[in-house]
Amino acid sequence: MTIRNILTEPNPFLRQKSVKVENVDDNIRSLMDDMLDTMYAAPGIGLAAIQIGVPKRVIVIDLSRDGEKKNPQFFVNPEIIINSDTKASYEEGCLSVPGQFAEISRPDKCKIKFLNYNGDEKILETEGLFATCIQHEMDHLEGILFIDYLSKLKKSMILKKLSKNKKSLERIIV
Ligand code: GNR
Ligand code: NI
């Protein structure tokens, strides 16, 4: 179990499409363990493998609150079966877009099919924050970030801030 470095925008890696996992083996389970540690350390409620530089269709999510029992959930090759027509909007953030938040509207319920930690096929109906989070993570598998849903102006303002922060960080490190 290792805490890995999280890639941040702008980084062309984050725009890559992740590939399907052929077999949920010990290598994939080890990746999921590292992702969970990385997500808890950040801290965040979800993480896609591409965020630690691995372009595979793997997601971890834990929506348990502080002080509650941890509830890690693993999703390999997730597919949306049905999205609701009704939308809900949540203030989203992303570990790959640090310090930036915006209201994003998405279907408020979605039914997904995926493989779990053991490679068993599961179907799950999600709503509320869970539905938002799984859709946010599934976007990462396609190289999409929540800022892509914003107006050109808002998006460019965020990207400008991120580049500025990255440059000042580099100055501190160098
Ligand atoms: O930690 C996270 N919080 C969050 C809040 C609202 C909507 C989505 C998220 S996911 C984010 C972690 C992350 O970047 N996952 O890719
Ligand atoms: Ni994210």
Side-chain angles (χ1 to χ4, degrees):
M1 308 260 261
T2 314
I3 296 170
R4 310 258 207 112
N5 189 33
I6 296 177
L7 306 180
T8 58
E9 182 77 342
N11 186 321
F13 244 97
L14 290 170
R15 298 315 192 156
Q16 203 173 311
K17 187 175 150 102
S18 294
V19 298
K20 224 173 157 177
V21 170
E22 288 305 326
N23 208 344
V24 184
D25 56 15
D26 286 346
N27 278 330
I28 295 294
R29 275 186 280 274
S30 162
L31 168 67
M32 292 195 269
D33 293 342
D34 286 358
M35 286 170 63
L36 198 66
D37 280 355
T38 305
M39 183 187 78
Y40 285 148
I45 57 173
L47 193 77
I50 191 65
Q51 293 180 276
I52 58 167
V54 180
K56 293 185 197 289
R57 302 185 82 80
V58 179
I59 289 167
V60 299
I61 290 179
D62 189 336
L63 296 172
S64 63
R65 291 161 191 264
D66 277 351
E68 279 179 8
K69 192 169 173 282
K70 284 193 165 53
N71 181 28
Q73 289 176 273
F74 303 91
F75 304 86
V76 177
N77 301 339
E79 287 173 46
I80 290 185
I81 306 174
I82 313 170
N83 265 342
S84 62
D85 294 331
T86 48
K87 305 268 170 98
S89 99
Y90 272 91
E91 179 162 72
E92 296 195 18
C94 180
L95 295 171
S96 297
V97 189
Q100 311 301 318
F101 303 89
E103 287 274 331
I104 305 291
S105 167
R106 300 182 188 268
D108 71 340
K109 293 194 177 88
C110 71
K111 191 170 175 178
I112 55 161
K113 189 173 95 173
F114 60 99
L115 303 176
N116 69 7
Y117 194 81
N118 296 317
D120 302 324
E121 191 175 300
K122 298 282 171 187
I123 287 178
L124 190 69
E125 289 189 49
T126 64
E127 59 179 30
L129 182 59
F130 199 168
T132 291
C133 191
I134 192 82
Q135 291 173 79
H136 172 116
E137 302 311 337
M138 286 179 71
D139 273 354
H140 277 300
L141 306 185
E142 303 303 319
I144 298 168
L145 300 173
F146 79 91
I147 51 173
D148 300 345
Y149 298 110
L150 302 175
S151 69
K152 266 191 181 167
L153 179 66
K154 274 191 189 165
K155 182 175 170 179
S156 70
M157 273 163 45
I158 287 179
L159 287 175
K160 214 165 138 186
K161 277 188 208 157
L162 289 176
S163 304
K164 225 176 176 176
N165 292 347
K166 261 195 176 176
K167 285 211 186 91
S168 67
L169 258 180
E170 276 160 16
R171 275 201 295 276
I172 295 166
I173 293 162
V174 172

